[in-house]
Amino acid sequence: LHDARPISVVFMVVSGINFALHFLTWRSRRLTIYVRDSEVRAFVLILLTLTAVTIAVLFASRTFQTAGDTLWHGIFQVVSIATTTGFTTSGYHWWPSFLPAMLVLASTVGGCAGSTAGGMKVIRSILLYKQGRRQIELLIHPKALIPIKLGGKPVPEQVLESVWGFFAVYVMAFMVMLLALLATGLDIITAFSAVGACINNLGPGLAGVAETYGHLPVTAKWILC
């Protein structure tokens, strides 16, 4: 298992990238295609940031006995959860501080569009961030024309509206299912992580669904399905 972790991490990252980019890179024999893609850059930056924070907290709390275990458990779990692969080499739900919640929330972003990852996808998160930043700038400069660009090209307003529509439906569906699970008697952490794990196609959640969903009430299982 320990020897397979580096290989698994590589393929989980590869699977979290748009497969159209893999095809273009294979056909052109140029790795610069990945570097030029803004979604891939954001995806890698998210993984690196989450990994650095996770390893730092694990080191500070001395969760594992050796530096090697700390490093590889941190890297593996971040990549696995952030790409919604769902593999675990350690029970991340008992990790210290905010790490379990951070990893579950990371699965909400997921991987790139056109990948095997779940979540809302990185490209939508980028557009939501840029749109939010533009709205703040418009509060300061109401008459300014501030186009949102990806890869140096303006994004049509219709695309931005579609992203906001998807996000609104996502949030509403999340809240409705969360309230429904709470009504079945589940605690807030179990219900929240169960909805997040299922709607993002992750798998393991926190608290009561960290290891299995088998003991959940039948109604809760139907809601999650």
Side-chain angles (χ1 to χ4, degrees), residues 91-104:
Y92 78 97
H93 57 281
W94 51 259
W95 282 4
S97 189
F98 58 89
L99 291 184
M102 183 186 73
L103 293 180
V104 171

Side-chain angles (χ1 to χ4, degrees), residues 124-211:
R124 289 194 180 99
S125 300
I126 294 174
L127 291 176
L128 287 172
Y129 165 74
K130 290 190 173 184
Q131 173 73 343
R133 188 177 65 180
R134 181 175 69 171
Q135 291 303 118
I136 293 176
E137 292 175 351
L138 287 175
L139 291 175
I140 303 173
H141 306 286
K143 296 183 179 180
L145 296 177
I146 308 173
I148 293 178
K149 296 183 178 181
L150 277 178
K153 298 180 180 179
V155 179
E157 290 297 322
Q158 184 178 1
V159 174
L160 297 174
E161 292 175 1
S162 298
V163 171
W164 274 108
F166 175 89
F167 181 68
V169 173
Y170 179 95
V171 172
M172 286 190 293
F174 197 109
M175 296 305 298
V176 169
M177 287 187 286
L178 173 61
L179 292 175
L181 286 184
L182 291 175
T184 66
L186 298 183
D187 62 273
I188 183 64
I189 297 178
T190 299
F192 182 87
S193 62
V195 174
C198 289
I199 201 172
N200 295 321
N201 197 32
L202 171 60
L206 302 176
V209 291
E211 297 178 357

